[in-house]
Amino acid sequence: MHSQTSTTQTGSQEYSQQSQQESSDAQQQTRVLVNMLFARFKAIYTHKFASAYANPDEVKLAKREWAIAIKGFKEPLLAYAVERSKETYAWPPTIAEFLQLISKAYGAYGLVDTRTAYLEASQCRINPLEFSWSHPAVYHAGAATGWYSLKSDEESKTWPAFEKNYNEQVDKIVQGQVLVIPSVPLIENRQEDHLASLIPDLMKKTGLPEGDIACLLYYLKKTKGTQIRARYRAKSQADLAEKGFDLQLPE
């Protein structure tokens, strides 16, 4: 007999192995980016860079600190910050100075930094399609993370997921893709088209005037799956039964 415990343990092990692999890949990517930064700084600042990192031990320690600092940032943003470093600093920038340049890099693309984007998405308490977003990338990262999760789960769970999703959207932006937020009117138009086809059909089946049918179908304007839509539908169903019609209204 197949063990449920065994299945659960196997699933957990697979998830753990996948997480460990993703973490290892991310660490490797960060090491590559740090090496790229140091190579660029060495080429740009020449002897000034050499004097800032006098021996291999200092370079090793410095790379460790830089790896912690730039974790999660993608290469296009780092490359932008390097270019600004050449224009701004005569000596290799400190970590704090470089992070400030990365913040400006977000602004150059019309983006907010990852933490600001996370807080913005977490504060969305209405229909995300009707929320005033600072950039479509925030909306798409929030949608990929899950709006219910952002509202309900602990930050320890939602922040890593959102950070990953937002970085993916940032990659798209710096590569030239144009992100848009789905339009609410398109949804409303589909609802109106649905109503336009239902009203004549129910008028024919019941003989009721168009105004009465429109009132009965008002619940279709509410978001599908919500309690308020279900309540309005139940009332319309009861009104229809009271008028003597044994018809089931669409969900």
Side-chain angles (χ1 to χ4, degrees):
M1 182 176 179
H2 189 65
S3 169
Q4 179 64 39
T5 302
S6 175
T7 303
T8 303
Q9 289 176 344
T10 301
S12 299
Q13 290 172 353
E14 290 175 352
Y15 178 79
S16 177
Q17 291 171 355
Q18 180 181 355
S19 298
Q20 290 174 0
Q21 182 62 46
E22 290 176 352
S23 176
S24 176
D25 291 345
Q27 290 174 0
Q28 177 61 30
Q29 184 181 21
T30 299
R31 282 194 292 268
V32 170
L33 291 174
V34 169
N35 288 332
M36 178 203 75
L37 283 180
F38 273 58
R40 292 291 307 276
F41 287 153
K42 185 176 181 180
I44 294 166
Y45 296 105
T46 60
H47 69 280
K48 294 178 180 178
F49 179 84
S51 65
Y53 302 105
N55 59 66
D57 287 339
E58 288 183 357
V59 173
K60 183 177 180 180
L61 289 173
K63 284 186 175 182
R64 185 180 301 169
E65 291 301 320
W66 277 83
I68 295 171
I70 69 168
K71 177 180 176 293
F73 292 119
K74 298 298 184 177
E75 183 176 352
L77 292 176
L78 299 177
Y80 179 97
V82 170
E83 292 303 314
R84 300 293 76 76
S85 294
K86 292 193 295 186
E87 302 169 358
T88 308
Y89 300 113
W91 286 80
T94 65
I95 290 176
E97 290 169 340
F98 193 75
L99 291 177
Q100 288 180 346
L101 293 176
I102 292 178
S103 296
K104 293 179 181 178
Y106 279 105
Y109 289 101
L111 297 159
V112 296
D113 64 84
T114 308
R115 187 64 187 177
T116 301
Y118 172 75
L119 295 175
E120 181 180 340
S122 299
Q123 290 166 1
C124 177
R125 292 292 182 267
I126 61 174
N127 185 342
L129 293 175
E130 298 175 355
F131 193 78
S132 180
W133 297 104
S134 61
H135 193 282
V138 185
Y139 164 82
H140 285 286
T145 306
W147 301 114
Y148 182 79
S149 178
L150 284 167
K151 292 177 183 177
S152 308
D153 293 332
E154 296 292 331
E155 182 176 320
S156 59
K157 176 182 178 181
T158 58
W159 164 245
F162 182 89
E163 183 181 28
K164 175 178 178 293
N165 292 325
Y166 187 66
N167 283 332
E168 290 176 356
Q169 301 306 316
V170 170
D171 279 350
K172 294 177 183 178
I173 295 297
V174 298
Q175 290 168 11
Q177 293 189 37
V178 178
L179 301 181
V180 296
I181 298 172
S183 175
V184 175
L186 292 178
I187 297 174
E188 293 175 348
N189 287 341
R190 289 198 297 270
Q191 291 174 336
E192 293 299 331
D193 291 343
H194 188 44
L195 280 172
S197 64
L198 283 175
I199 288 175
D201 182 57
L202 283 176
M203 287 176 64
K204 183 177 180 180
K205 289 179 179 179
T206 63
L208 294 172
E210 182 177 352
D212 288 357
I213 298 297
C215 288
L216 288 170
L217 296 177
Y218 173 73
Y219 70 91
L220 292 174
K221 292 180 176 288
K222 301 300 180 182
T223 304
K224 193 169 184 178
T226 59
Q227 291 184 350
I228 190 169
R229 174 166 170 147
R231 287 199 301 270
Y232 276 119
R233 180 184 177 277
K235 184 178 183 305
S236 294
Q237 194 70 65
D239 289 345
L240 200 58
E242 188 177 341
K243 295 179 188 300
F245 300 105
D246 185 20
L247 296 171
Q248 283 295 314
L249 296 172
E251 294 290 338

